[in-house]
Amino acid sequence: MVGGWGSVAVGEDDGVPSIIVVRMRVIVLRGSPGRAPIVGGDEAGVWEVIRHQVEVVNQVMSQCHIRVGGPDEVDIVIADPPGPCLLSVGEKYGLPSSGGEVRLMLDGEKLGPWNIAGDLTPEQTARVLFRYIEDAGFKPDLTVGIRGPSDAFARADLLVRRVDGTLAEIERWPHEPLTTDSMQSIDIGMVRLDDGLESYGVNEINIGTLEERTLLRALSSKEPGTVEIFIVNRFAGSHKQGESFIASSAGTLGDAAILDWRALGRARTAYTFAHELGHLLLGDLSHPDSRGDRRTWLLMHSRASSAVGGPARITEEQCTRMRERWGEIRASF
Ligand SMILES: [Zn+2]
C-alpha cells in the first residue's frame, strides 16, 4: 500500500499498525572544497557513521511505528560547501528599491551595469536580474516568499547555475559595489565552514540565514516527501547543535535539518539527530517545555536530559501527529 505524501506503508496485516517509511537523504559536507568530509574521514567512514545514526533514529522512531528506510536505503551524499552561487535581494529588511545600477561577475565575466528602477519589491528586482542573468547564458532559479517578521517585503533568492547544472561563481566587479541602490540590498550567498555555519536568530526561524539558505538551496534534491539532513562542522558563535526547517507557506527550504558533528557524537545521550528529525516529522519547530511541559526525558524537550531512560520518549499524541503527516493512519492505531 502506498501511504501518504512521499512515504510508504508496509506490513499492513489486519490489526497490526503499518510501519511508515520516510525517505531520508543525508548530505555530509566537506570542510572545504575537495577536502575530507567533516565526519568519517573518507567515504567508507561516512557510511559507517551515518549508518550508526540511522540505526539509533530507527530505534527511537520504532515507538511510533516509523522508520527512515533501512540503513542501506538512506541516500548518503558527500558534498563540497557551495561557493558564491546565490544572490539575495532585500536581505536587509526586505526594503524596496530606490533605483540604482547592479554590476556583477559570473564565472569571471563582467556583466552590467544593469538599471534597476525605483519602487520595486525584492521579488520584482530579482525578476529583472533573472532575465539579465538568463540573457548572459546562465540558469537562474528564483525563490520568493522569505519574509522576516519585521521585513517590509519578502526577500528573494536567485541561485545561479551554469547550463550544465553546476553552480556558477558570482563575484563583484573589482572596486565596485554590487548595487548602487542606497536602500535595497543585494548580497552574495556562499558557504564557508572554516568559521562555522551562520545560524539563525529568533527573527529568522524557518527562514534561515543567507549562508544556510545558500547551503540548502544549492544542495537540496527538492524531492517532495524526502527529509534532508545536512552535516556541518559547527554553527558560528552558537552552542546550537541542530536546526530544522519545515516546508510550509512561510518556509521555502523544504523539510530539512542541519546538524553539527557534536550532535552525531551524542547519538545515544541527547538523541539530537532523532530530535531534529522529530521536528520535521511533526511539522513543528516548538518544544513541549515552551508550553510548560517539564518531562525532560521526552525526545522533543529542548534541553536533553541524559538521565536513565534518556530523552528518547515520544508521546502518543506526537506519534499520531507524525503518522498523520507522513502516512495514512489505520483506524486500529
Ligand atoms: Zn528542537
Side-chain angles (χ1 to χ4, degrees), residues 242 244 275-276 279 284-287 299-302:
S244 295
H275 172 95
E276 297 302 330
H279 280 304
D284 185 356
L285 294 176
S286 71
H287 299 109
L299 178 70
M300 298 317 294
H301 196 281
S302 69

Side-chain angles (χ1 to χ4, degrees), residues 55 65 143 191 198 212 224 274 291 300:
E55 249 174 62
H65 300 231
T143 316
V191 178
E198 200 74 37
E212 288 176 322
R291 296 184 290 274
M300 298 317 294

Side-chain angles (χ1 to χ4, degrees), residues 25-29 75-79 215 219-221 228-232:
R25 192 164 166 262
V26 181
I27 301 100
V28 177
L29 273 290
D75 191 5
I76 301 174
V77 180
I78 301 171
L215 173 68
L219 297 181
S220 166
S221 70
E228 295 191 300
I229 313 286
F230 293 78
I231 311 295
V232 301

Side-chain angles (χ1 to χ4, degrees), residues 9-30:
V10 294
E12 196 196 9
D13 293 323
D14 275 352
V16 179
S18 54
I19 297 289
I20 289 177
V21 182
V22 177
R23 283 189 215 123
M24 183 166 75
R25 192 164 166 262
V26 181
I27 301 100
V28 177
L29 273 290
R30 298 179 191 278

